[in-house]
Amino acid sequence: MSASAYDGLCRHFQQIAHFEHFSALGDWDQATMMPVGGGEARSEAMATLAGHIHALKTAPWLAEALDKARAEAQNDDERANLREMAHQYRQATAVPQSLVEAKTLAGYRCENAWREQRRANDWQGFKPKLEEVIRLTREEAQCRSQALGMTPYDTLLDKFEPGVTQAMLDNTFGELKNWLPELIAEVTDLQLGQAVPQLSGHYPIPAQEALGREVMTLLGFDFNQGRLDVSNHPFCGGVPGDVRLTTRYDSNNFSSALMGVIHETGHARYEQGLPKAWRGQPGGLARSMGLHESQSLFFEMQLAGSEAFLGLLSPLINRHLGLQLSAEGLARIYSRVNPGLIRVDADEVTYPCHILLRYEAEKAMVNGSLEVADLPDFWSTQMQTLLGINTDGNYRDGCMQDIHWTLGELGYFPSYTLGAMVASQLRYALEAELDSSLDSLLEQGRLADVFAWLERNIWSRGSLLQTDDLIQAATGKPLSGRYLERHLRSRYLGE
Amino acid sequence: MSASAYDGLCRHFQQIAHFEHFSALGDWDQATMMPVGGGEARSEAMATLAGHIHALKTAPWLAEALDKARAEAQNDDERANLREMAHQYRQATAVPQSLVEAKTLAGYRCENAWREQRRANDWQGFKPKLEEVIRLTREEAQCRSQALGMTPYDTLLDKFEPGVTQAMLDNTFGELKNWLPELIAEVTDLQLGQAVPQLSGHYPIPAQEALGREVMTLLGFDFNQGRLDVSNHPFCGGVPGDVRLTTRYDSNNFSSALMGVIHETGHARYEQGLPKAWRGQPGGLARSMGLHESQSLFFEMQLAGSEAFLGLLSPLINRHLGLQLSAEGLARIYSRVNPGLIRVDADEVTYPCHILLRYEAEKAMVNGSLEVADLPDFWSTQMQTLLGINTDGNYRDGCMQDIHWTLGELGYFPSYTLGAMVASQLRYALEAELDSSLDSLLEQGRLADVFAWLERNIWSRGSLLQTDDLIQAATGKPLSGRYLERHLRSRYLGE
């Protein structure tokens, strides 16, 4: 039987989770269902809710209760839960409630305006709204920096990726820059003469949606515990027990929606697989956004990029869309490396370039060396350097393409590339443990074994281990970028 | 410039409205979007939210602030807003927070179970969940009775219809019982030999939905400020600025969904037409559920029951559903009086019988003279007496057909018949003021004048007048049931 300080804290954080339930619902609804006229009332309500959650997380009695509970803790899991509570408490107390409310209000207003402004390529209309969000994000980073004794940008990274710092990323991403540009050049050279099946055609949206649902079911998504809907920008939201993912359809291109669905299903299975006994407790949450992206990228890149999986996928695609694609043809399509404008549609080889650009931009915006007004020029220059693409004047497919900054979520983007690294490392560990390549497992019909491995090693562990320990426990090694390089060289260069 | 006690109260009630925003969103989502697996987490979150709203409404500083603000109030509108704040405060302080949370939890659990159990006609499964809700509702009524000095059932009526008592309803409904049974007999006799166009056929749901949307637009619904969706039980929810109504489709019968849409659009226009300057304040809310039902029934019965309106409706029905119905044929269909099992599908002549049954049942359940276990027998006996229909064993179309009691909303049903009375009285007043019958107005294309009258006299007034004063101001007379009788005798017997 646990002691009372700990129980009191658990009840308090369960209450917080109940309010966060509505925050998740409001987010999802705003992106999928809400009519434009509902935007202002929603933004104000979300700000009040964020303020209240902040007040609960900074309740003055928490510090003493945490101390007391630490002394009483019965086991490692309780200690882990307390560690996560204390982390949330420290994070919250670093920022005043008024700033939380102001930033939430500005963020939702910016996101609401962005929907139409992105469609209209209206940078001039969007700019002042983003400037307000960046101004408040800088203020937030300053407050956090003073309270936490970290650099402003590090405090933002810490929100999404506890323990990760700019110094570590500069190092990790620096290594990446040593081999990635050359790899892209090698792969594009190699693929230059290869024929790829053309996918142009008309694919009715209801057929695409039915295909997406069947693929989600193949991937083990439980529709009694979640939904699939449409939004401008694909995401996975909701709460464990009711996980809601979205995609968007292009009737001339089924691939973008389908790969979006597979990606988000990776997020969804992580959420659906979190430990039920820890629901509502900080220790039961997904470990970090990098771990989250590792699951979505495992599904989208490791699984769906393998020819064996495409052998499962092609009959579904052919049946729903009236095509006659082979697994091998699909593999040629999905392994095509082709520098493009849009991050979420990028192949896995050029994808890190999109992240490097955003990482440099957000660091500079946080430390004040890049102003929002100069962001389009920065973007265009970087895209030219990294991928040889000019984005002058094309804001909607340039710096207005993502939703993260509209909400003030600076510090998130590095998680995608960390996730790609973790996903590769997990695959090699899984293959070693199951003594079989992923392709062989799939050919043997052992998809369930793959999910069981992920569930055992990642999903069911919630936040009970810290990131480094979780990766070490799952793979026997600390996080390293060399598995991503090895994976890319193997898949794209046959090395 | 208002004084500070008043401003402080306005800010506080605005905050409450922000939390009620999520309560409305959670309700709507639960009925329209939520997968079954989300039910338990939603129920718990709704209970916590209800408890928090209750805590805000019972904040200890409110009593003194209300006193101070009353002394400072600048005008009648401010005084009205303070009166509504004080009413909410009194209502909330009558019940402990723990009971609010327990009843909310039991109510949402019961509603979640009801969805499947109603479909399966599973009374035995449903009974214990409803018993728990009724137990907590009785406890609530007892608490309220002690605090407010009213009878237990009167305190429940007061939640939905401030100022209305059982004594008044016994009197009003007693008068109704004097003339209604005979009227039903006369009308059914008269209609006995009349031929009615048959509506049996197959009506694809997408076509029904497109028809519903076009009819909503005809009725002035603003889709930038609301939505139409599907739920088991039609309702109108959401918040002003984002009003969400639902219907349910039967591919063999378009009429039920269409009339549901028209009914809910009446609710929706009331919400969309509430005074914008008073949004978030108690004075800006819809006056009462009876007033709300008066608007939905004005749309469904007064408007959509008139042959002139059916002249606007028939071309839309014919175009969307490939029919060739005349306005006169539709009028014969919609004026058909036919005692049936389902309240929401009832004609306006037999509708009050469904309310009389529920009124007697809920009074008896609150005062303890009727137990949930005996409800099906009570239902069957009453249906036999009032409408000559046997419901033995048919729980899904009997006492399990409505959603209200699952949520513990006893005291709501009388509002429907009060609403029907108000709707008739409003129509005669509107006709007198515009010096033209409703039919003539519609024939002259003056539908907008009808809405403008309702907006001026009802919608835009929010809760700034009390119910009696609002009805007096709109119609020049106190509420009376004789306009409903006059309307029914005129429409159905040509008197």
Side-chain angles (χ1 to χ4, degrees), chain A residues 166-204:
Chain A
Q166 181 182 329
M168 180 224 158
L169 288 178
D170 284 344
N171 185 44
T172 306
F173 289 171
E175 283 175 23
L176 194 72
K177 278 192 272 191
N178 285 340
W179 55 263
L180 187 62
E182 199 183 324
L183 179 69
I184 294 173
E186 278 184 72
V187 176
T188 46
D189 269 5
L190 182 71
Q191 293 184 343
L192 208 57
Q194 291 175 3
V196 172
Q198 287 306 302
L199 290 185
S200 57
H202 180 77
Y203 308 103

Side-chain angles (χ1 to χ4, degrees), chain A residues 18 21 37 42 48 224 244, chain B residues 18 21 29 37 42 48 224:
Chain A
H18 288 162
H21 176 108
R42 176 65 50 81
T48 295
N224 279 325
R244 302 185 178 193
Chain B
H18 289 163
H21 176 109
D29 182 85
R42 175 65 49 81
T48 295
N224 279 323

Side-chain angles (χ1 to χ4, degrees), chain A residues 15 18-19 21-22 25 28-29 33-38 42 44-46 48-49 52 224 226-227 241-242 244, chain B residues 15 18-19 21-22 25 28-29 33-38 42 44-46 48 52 224 226-227 241-242 244:
Chain A
Q15 293 268 309
H18 288 162
F19 287 104
H21 176 108
F22 293 105
L25 178 61
W28 171 84
D29 182 85
M33 299 289 159
M34 189 187 75
V36 291
R42 176 65 50 81
E44 289 173 13
M46 291 295 273
T48 295
L49 182 62
H52 179 60
N224 279 325
R227 296 178 50 92
D242 184 1
R244 302 185 178 193
Chain B
Q15 294 268 309
H18 289 163
F19 287 104
H21 176 109
F22 293 105
L25 179 61
W28 171 84
D29 182 85
M33 300 289 159
M34 189 187 77
V36 291
R42 175 65 49 81
E44 289 172 13
M46 291 296 272
T48 295
H52 180 60
N224 279 323
R227 296 178 51 91
D242 184 2
R244 302 184 178 194

Side-chain angles (χ1 to χ4, degrees), chain A residues 101-373:
Chain A
E101 290 171 355
K103 193 184 162 208
T104 304
L105 189 60
Y108 282 102
R109 281 181 176 157
C110 184
E111 191 201 321
N112 281 326
W114 167 80
R115 253 162 259 220
E116 189 43 51
Q117 287 166 342
R118 188 197 167 195
R119 203 168 302 160
N121 197 38
D122 177 13
W123 169 252
Q124 288 308 321
F126 180 65
K127 185 163 73 85
K129 295 221 178 294
L130 183 61
E131 279 171 338
E132 176 67 2
V133 172
I134 298 299
R135 185 183 71 74
L136 291 165
T137 304
R138 282 175 181 164
E139 198 178 322
E140 178 196 352
Q142 287 300 333
C143 290
R144 298 168 72 90
S145 175
Q146 279 168 27
L148 303 172
M150 299 158 69
T151 70
Y153 185 64
D154 278 355
T155 70
L156 300 185
L157 290 172
D158 202 50
K159 288 167 67 176
F160 305 103
E161 211 55 54
V164 162
T165 62
Q166 181 182 329
M168 180 224 158
L169 288 178
D170 284 344
N171 185 44
T172 306
F173 289 171
E175 283 175 23
L176 194 72
K177 278 192 272 191
N178 285 340
W179 55 263
L180 187 62
E182 199 183 324
L183 179 69
I184 294 173
E186 278 184 72
V187 176
T188 46
D189 269 5
L190 182 71
Q191 293 184 343
L192 208 57
Q194 291 175 3
V196 172
Q198 287 306 302
L199 290 185
S200 57
H202 180 77
Y203 308 103
I205 289 169
Q208 289 194 49
E209 192 191 325
L211 169 63
R213 286 178 189 277
E214 195 166 345
V215 172
M216 286 166 71
T217 302
L218 172 70
L219 292 171
F221 184 88
D222 177 1
F223 278 98
N224 279 325
Q225 297 196 49
R227 296 178 50 92
L228 169 66
D229 294 280
V230 175
S231 66
N232 276 346
H233 199 280
F235 69 96
C236 176
V239 295
D242 184 1
V243 177
R244 302 185 178 193
L245 58 90
T246 71
T247 190
R248 69 266 175 282
Y249 298 101
D250 174 351
S251 55
N252 298 313
N253 171 7
F254 71 83
S255 187
S256 172
L258 179 60
M259 285 296 140
V261 163
I262 293 173
H263 178 99
E264 302 305 336
T265 303
H267 286 303
R269 294 259 4 224
Y270 191 3
E271 289 290 320
Q272 290 182 337
L274 289 169
K276 286 198 178 51
W278 289 92
R279 273 196 190 163
Q281 294 303 311
L285 295 172
R287 179 57 272 182
S288 73
M289 291 324 299
L291 259 294
H292 236 306
E293 295 301 338
S294 82
Q295 299 309 294
S296 54
L297 292 171
F298 190 99
F299 276 53
E300 182 187 1
M301 302 302 185
Q302 302 297 331
L303 260 188
S306 85
E307 196 170 324
F309 185 82
L310 293 170
L312 302 175
L313 206 54
S314 59
L316 307 184
I317 293 176
N318 292 339
R319 178 154 48 79
H320 283 282
L321 304 181
L323 296 171
Q324 293 189 308
L325 292 162
S326 66
E328 191 270 333
L330 276 175
R332 261 183 293 138
I333 294 167
Y334 287 122
S335 63
R336 190 73 183 180
V337 173
N338 197 8
L341 290 163
I342 304 295
R343 175 183 60 83
V344 295
D345 291 334
D347 61 81
E348 64 180 328
V349 181
T350 59
Y351 197 109
C353 297
H354 294 273
I355 299 307
L356 293 172
L357 184 165
R358 287 157 179 77
Y359 173 60
E360 296 301 333
E362 63 181 27
K363 272 198 300 189
M365 283 196 289
V366 172
N367 72 29
S369 64
L370 176 64
E371 295 302 328
V372 168

Side-chain angles (χ1 to χ4, degrees), chain B residues 236-271:
Chain B
C236 176
V239 295
D242 184 2
V243 177
R244 302 184 178 194
L245 58 90
T246 70
T247 191
R248 69 265 176 281
Y249 298 101
D250 174 352
S251 55
N252 298 313
N253 170 8
F254 71 84
S255 187
S256 172
L258 179 60
M259 285 297 140
V261 162
I262 293 172
H263 178 98
E264 302 304 336
T265 302
H267 286 303
R269 294 256 9 221
Y270 190 3
E271 289 290 318

